[in-house]
Short mmCIF file of all heavy atoms in Angstrom, two decimals:
data_model
loop_
_atom_site.label_atom_id
_atom_site.label_comp_id
_atom_site.label_asym_id
_atom_site.label_seq_id
_atom_site.Cartn_x
_atom_site.Cartn_y
_atom_site.Cartn_z
N ASN E 1 0.83 -1.21 0.00
CA ASN E 1 0.00 0.00 0.00
C ASN E 1 0.86 1.25 0.00
O ASN E 1 0.51 2.26 -0.64
CB ASN E 1 -0.94 0.00 1.21
CG ASN E 1 -1.99 -1.10 1.12
OD1 ASN E 1 -2.38 -1.50 0.02
ND2 ASN E 1 -2.45 -1.60 2.26
N ALA E 2 1.98 1.21 0.72
CA ALA E 2 2.88 2.37 0.76
C ALA E 2 3.48 2.64 -0.62
O ALA E 2 3.57 3.79 -1.06
CB ALA E 2 4.00 2.14 1.78
N LEU E 3 3.88 1.56 -1.31
CA LEU E 3 4.41 1.72 -2.67
C LEU E 3 3.33 2.22 -3.62
O LEU E 3 3.59 3.07 -4.48
CB LEU E 3 4.98 0.39 -3.17
CG LEU E 3 6.28 -0.10 -2.53
CD1 LEU E 3 6.63 -1.49 -3.04
CD2 LEU E 3 7.42 0.87 -2.78
N ARG E 4 2.11 1.71 -3.45
CA ARG E 4 1.00 2.16 -4.31
C ARG E 4 0.76 3.66 -4.11
O ARG E 4 0.57 4.40 -5.09
CB ARG E 4 -0.27 1.37 -3.98
CG ARG E 4 -1.48 1.78 -4.84
CD ARG E 4 -2.74 1.04 -4.45
NE ARG E 4 -2.66 -0.38 -4.73
CZ ARG E 4 -2.65 -1.34 -3.80
NH1 ARG E 4 -2.69 -1.02 -2.51
NH2 ARG E 4 -2.59 -2.61 -4.16
N THR E 5 0.77 4.10 -2.86
CA THR E 5 0.56 5.52 -2.58
C THR E 5 1.67 6.37 -3.19
O THR E 5 1.40 7.41 -3.81
CB THR E 5 0.51 5.75 -1.06
OG1 THR E 5 -0.58 5.00 -0.51
CG2 THR E 5 0.31 7.22 -0.73
N ARG E 6 2.91 5.92 -3.04
CA ARG E 6 4.03 6.66 -3.64
C ARG E 6 3.88 6.73 -5.15
O ARG E 6 4.14 7.77 -5.76
CB ARG E 6 5.36 5.98 -3.29
CG ARG E 6 5.89 6.30 -1.91
CD ARG E 6 7.19 5.55 -1.64
NE ARG E 6 8.18 5.83 -2.69
CZ ARG E 6 9.27 5.08 -2.88
NH1 ARG E 6 9.48 4.01 -2.14
NH2 ARG E 6 10.13 5.40 -3.83
N PHE E 7 3.48 5.61 -5.75
CA PHE E 7 3.32 5.58 -7.20
C PHE E 7 2.23 6.55 -7.66
O PHE E 7 2.42 7.31 -8.61
CB PHE E 7 2.99 4.16 -7.66
CG PHE E 7 2.59 4.08 -9.11
CD1 PHE E 7 3.54 4.19 -10.11
CD2 PHE E 7 1.25 3.91 -9.47
CE1 PHE E 7 3.17 4.13 -11.45
CE2 PHE E 7 0.89 3.85 -10.80
CZ PHE E 7 1.84 3.96 -11.79
N LEU E 8 1.09 6.53 -6.98
CA LEU E 8 -0.02 7.40 -7.37
C LEU E 8 0.34 8.86 -7.15
O LEU E 8 -0.08 9.73 -7.93
CB LEU E 8 -1.28 7.03 -6.59
CG LEU E 8 -1.87 5.65 -6.93
CD1 LEU E 8 -3.05 5.33 -6.01
CD2 LEU E 8 -2.28 5.56 -8.39
N ASN E 9 1.11 9.17 -6.11
CA ASN E 9 1.53 10.55 -5.87
C ASN E 9 2.53 11.01 -6.91
O ASN E 9 2.57 12.18 -7.30
CB ASN E 9 2.15 10.68 -4.47
CG ASN E 9 1.12 10.60 -3.37
OD1 ASN E 9 -0.07 10.80 -3.61
ND2 ASN E 9 1.55 10.29 -2.16
N LEU E 10 3.38 10.08 -7.35
CA LEU E 10 4.41 10.43 -8.32
C LEU E 10 3.86 10.42 -9.73
O LEU E 10 4.38 11.08 -10.62
CB LEU E 10 5.56 9.42 -8.22
CG LEU E 10 6.92 9.85 -8.77
CD1 LEU E 10 7.42 11.09 -8.04
CD2 LEU E 10 7.92 8.73 -8.62
N ASN E 11 2.79 9.67 -9.95
CA ASN E 11 2.21 9.57 -11.28
C ASN E 11 1.82 10.95 -11.78
O ASN E 11 1.06 11.66 -11.14
CB ASN E 11 0.98 8.65 -11.24
CG ASN E 11 0.53 8.24 -12.62
OD1 ASN E 11 1.31 8.29 -13.57
ND2 ASN E 11 -0.72 7.86 -12.73
N GLY E 12 2.35 11.32 -12.93
CA GLY E 12 2.10 12.66 -13.43
C GLY E 12 3.33 13.53 -13.31
O GLY E 12 3.42 14.57 -13.93
N ALA E 13 4.31 13.09 -12.52
CA ALA E 13 5.54 13.86 -12.42
C ALA E 13 6.60 13.22 -13.31
O ALA E 13 6.92 13.70 -14.38
CB ALA E 13 6.01 13.92 -10.97
N LYS E 14 7.11 12.07 -12.85
CA LYS E 14 8.17 11.43 -13.62
C LYS E 14 7.79 10.06 -14.14
O LYS E 14 8.38 9.58 -15.09
CB LYS E 14 9.43 11.27 -12.76
CG LYS E 14 10.10 12.57 -12.41
CD LYS E 14 11.37 12.28 -11.63
CE LYS E 14 12.04 13.56 -11.22
NZ LYS E 14 13.24 13.32 -10.44
N VAL E 15 6.85 9.42 -13.50
CA VAL E 15 6.49 8.06 -13.91
C VAL E 15 5.34 8.13 -14.90
O VAL E 15 4.34 8.78 -14.66
CB VAL E 15 6.09 7.22 -12.67
CG1 VAL E 15 5.71 5.81 -13.09
CG2 VAL E 15 7.22 7.20 -11.67
N ASP E 16 5.50 7.46 -16.03
CA ASP E 16 4.44 7.51 -17.03
C ASP E 16 3.23 6.69 -16.58
O ASP E 16 3.24 6.08 -15.53
CB ASP E 16 4.94 7.09 -18.42
CG ASP E 16 5.45 5.66 -18.43
OD1 ASP E 16 5.05 4.90 -17.52
OD2 ASP E 16 6.22 5.30 -19.31
N HIS E 17 2.19 6.69 -17.41
CA HIS E 17 0.89 6.16 -16.99
C HIS E 17 0.62 4.78 -17.54
O HIS E 17 -0.53 4.35 -17.56
CB HIS E 17 -0.21 7.11 -17.44
CG HIS E 17 -0.38 7.14 -18.92
ND1 HIS E 17 0.58 7.65 -19.76
CD2 HIS E 17 -1.38 6.70 -19.72
CE1 HIS E 17 0.16 7.53 -21.01
NE2 HIS E 17 -1.02 6.96 -21.02
N ILE E 18 1.64 4.07 -17.98
CA ILE E 18 1.38 2.80 -18.64
C ILE E 18 0.82 1.77 -17.67
O ILE E 18 -0.10 1.03 -17.98
CB ILE E 18 2.67 2.29 -19.31
CG1 ILE E 18 3.04 3.23 -20.45
CG2 ILE E 18 2.50 0.87 -19.82
CD1 ILE E 18 4.39 3.00 -21.03
N PHE E 19 1.38 1.71 -16.46
CA PHE E 19 0.91 0.72 -15.50
C PHE E 19 -0.32 1.29 -14.81
O PHE E 19 -0.24 2.24 -14.05
CB PHE E 19 2.00 0.44 -14.48
CG PHE E 19 1.59 -0.53 -13.41
CD1 PHE E 19 1.47 -1.88 -13.69
CD2 PHE E 19 1.30 -0.10 -12.13
CE1 PHE E 19 1.09 -2.78 -12.71
CE2 PHE E 19 0.91 -0.99 -11.15
CZ PHE E 19 0.81 -2.33 -11.44
N LYS E 20 -1.49 0.74 -15.10
CA LYS E 20 -2.73 1.28 -14.55
C LYS E 20 -3.61 0.15 -14.04
O LYS E 20 -3.78 -0.86 -14.69
CB LYS E 20 -3.50 2.04 -15.63
CG LYS E 20 -2.97 3.44 -15.85
CD LYS E 20 -3.37 4.32 -14.72
CE LYS E 20 -2.84 5.72 -14.92
NZ LYS E 20 -3.14 6.56 -13.78
N LYS E 21 -4.13 0.36 -12.86
CA LYS E 21 -5.15 -0.56 -12.36
C LYS E 21 -6.50 -0.10 -12.93
O LYS E 21 -6.66 1.04 -13.34
CB LYS E 21 -5.18 -0.53 -10.84
CG LYS E 21 -4.01 -1.28 -10.24
CD LYS E 21 -4.20 -2.75 -10.50
CE LYS E 21 -2.91 -3.51 -10.36
NZ LYS E 21 -3.01 -4.84 -10.91
N ALA E 22 -7.49 -0.98 -12.90
CA ALA E 22 -8.78 -0.67 -13.50
C ALA E 22 -9.39 0.60 -12.92
O ALA E 22 -10.00 1.39 -13.63
CB ALA E 22 -9.73 -1.85 -13.31
N GLU E 23 -9.20 0.82 -11.61
CA GLU E 23 -9.85 1.98 -11.01
C GLU E 23 -9.25 3.29 -11.48
O GLU E 23 -9.83 4.35 -11.31
CB GLU E 23 -9.80 1.91 -9.47
CG GLU E 23 -8.39 1.91 -8.89
CD GLU E 23 -7.88 0.50 -8.65
OE1 GLU E 23 -8.33 -0.42 -9.37
OE2 GLU E 23 -7.05 0.32 -7.75
N ASP E 24 -8.04 3.24 -12.10
CA ASP E 24 -7.40 4.46 -12.56
C ASP E 24 -7.50 4.63 -14.06
O ASP E 24 -6.91 5.52 -14.63
CB ASP E 24 -5.92 4.46 -12.17
CG ASP E 24 -5.72 4.46 -10.67
OD1 ASP E 24 -6.51 5.12 -9.97
OD2 ASP E 24 -4.81 3.78 -10.22
N ALA E 25 -8.26 3.76 -14.71
CA ALA E 25 -8.27 3.74 -16.17
C ALA E 25 -8.78 5.04 -16.76
O ALA E 25 -8.41 5.42 -17.87
CB ALA E 25 -9.12 2.58 -16.68
N ASP E 26 -9.63 5.76 -16.01
CA ASP E 26 -10.19 6.99 -16.57
C ASP E 26 -9.30 8.19 -16.29
O ASP E 26 -9.66 9.31 -16.61
CB ASP E 26 -11.60 7.23 -16.01
CG ASP E 26 -11.58 7.34 -14.49
OD1 ASP E 26 -10.59 6.90 -13.88
OD2 ASP E 26 -12.56 7.86 -13.93
N GLN E 27 -8.15 7.98 -15.70
CA GLN E 27 -7.28 9.11 -15.37
C GLN E 27 -6.01 9.09 -16.19
O GLN E 27 -5.07 9.78 -15.87
CB GLN E 27 -6.91 9.08 -13.89
CG GLN E 27 -8.10 9.16 -12.97
CD GLN E 27 -7.70 8.99 -11.52
OE1 GLN E 27 -6.51 8.88 -11.20
NE2 GLN E 27 -8.66 8.97 -10.63
N ASP E 28 -5.98 8.30 -17.25
CA ASP E 28 -4.70 8.09 -17.91
C ASP E 28 -4.29 9.23 -18.83
O ASP E 28 -3.34 9.11 -19.57
CB ASP E 28 -4.69 6.77 -18.69
CG ASP E 28 -5.78 6.73 -19.74
OD1 ASP E 28 -6.53 7.71 -19.86
OD2 ASP E 28 -5.86 5.72 -20.43
N THR E 29 -4.99 10.37 -18.77
CA THR E 29 -4.54 11.52 -19.54
C THR E 29 -4.13 12.66 -18.63
O THR E 29 -3.97 13.78 -19.07
CB THR E 29 -5.66 12.00 -20.48
OG1 THR E 29 -6.82 12.28 -19.70
CG2 THR E 29 -6.00 10.96 -21.52
N ASP E 30 -3.93 12.36 -17.35
CA ASP E 30 -3.65 13.42 -16.38
C ASP E 30 -2.17 13.62 -16.11
O ASP E 30 -1.80 14.15 -15.09
CB ASP E 30 -4.35 13.11 -15.04
CG ASP E 30 -5.85 13.11 -15.20
OD1 ASP E 30 -6.32 13.67 -16.20
OD2 ASP E 30 -6.53 12.56 -14.32
N TRP E 31 -1.33 13.18 -17.02
CA TRP E 31 0.10 13.25 -16.69
C TRP E 31 0.87 14.20 -17.59
O TRP E 31 2.00 13.98 -17.94
CB TRP E 31 0.72 11.84 -16.74
CG TRP E 31 0.71 11.25 -18.10
CD1 TRP E 31 -0.37 10.81 -18.79
CD2 TRP E 31 1.83 11.02 -18.96
NE1 TRP E 31 0.01 10.32 -20.02
CE2 TRP E 31 1.34 10.44 -20.14
CE3 TRP E 31 3.20 11.24 -18.84
CZ2 TRP E 31 2.17 10.10 -21.20
CZ3 TRP E 31 4.02 10.89 -19.89
CH2 TRP E 31 3.51 10.33 -21.05
N GLU E 32 0.23 15.32 -17.97
CA GLU E 32 0.94 16.27 -18.82
C GLU E 32 2.21 16.74 -18.13
O GLU E 32 2.29 16.85 -16.92
CB GLU E 32 0.06 17.51 -19.09
CG GLU E 32 -1.13 17.24 -19.98
CD GLU E 32 -2.36 16.96 -19.17
OE1 GLU E 32 -2.34 15.97 -18.43
OE2 GLU E 32 -3.32 17.72 -19.25
N SER E 33 3.20 17.05 -18.95
CA SER E 33 4.48 17.53 -18.41
C SER E 33 4.26 18.89 -17.76
O SER E 33 3.60 19.76 -18.31
CB SER E 33 5.50 17.64 -19.54
OG SER E 33 6.66 18.26 -19.07
#
């Protein structure tokens, strides 16, 4: 859970959006530079 939280917090900064769980599928365009 700690890693998941870190990933979701970092998502949109440096980590791209390729790895997505189903609940995040509708947010995969929120990672603009």
Side-chain angles (χ1 to χ4, degrees):
N1 293 331
L3 289 174
R4 180 183 293 114
T5 299
R6 280 178 55 197
F7 170 75
L8 293 175
N9 288 340
L10 201 61
N11 193 22
K14 292 184 182 178
V15 180
D16 61 21
H17 68 293
I18 293 169
F19 178 74
K20 280 286 180 184
K21 285 291 161 193
E23 62 266 27
D24 296 323
D26 59 343
Q27 300 175 3
D28 60 359
T29 56
D30 296 342
W31 65 289
E32 290 95 297
S33 172

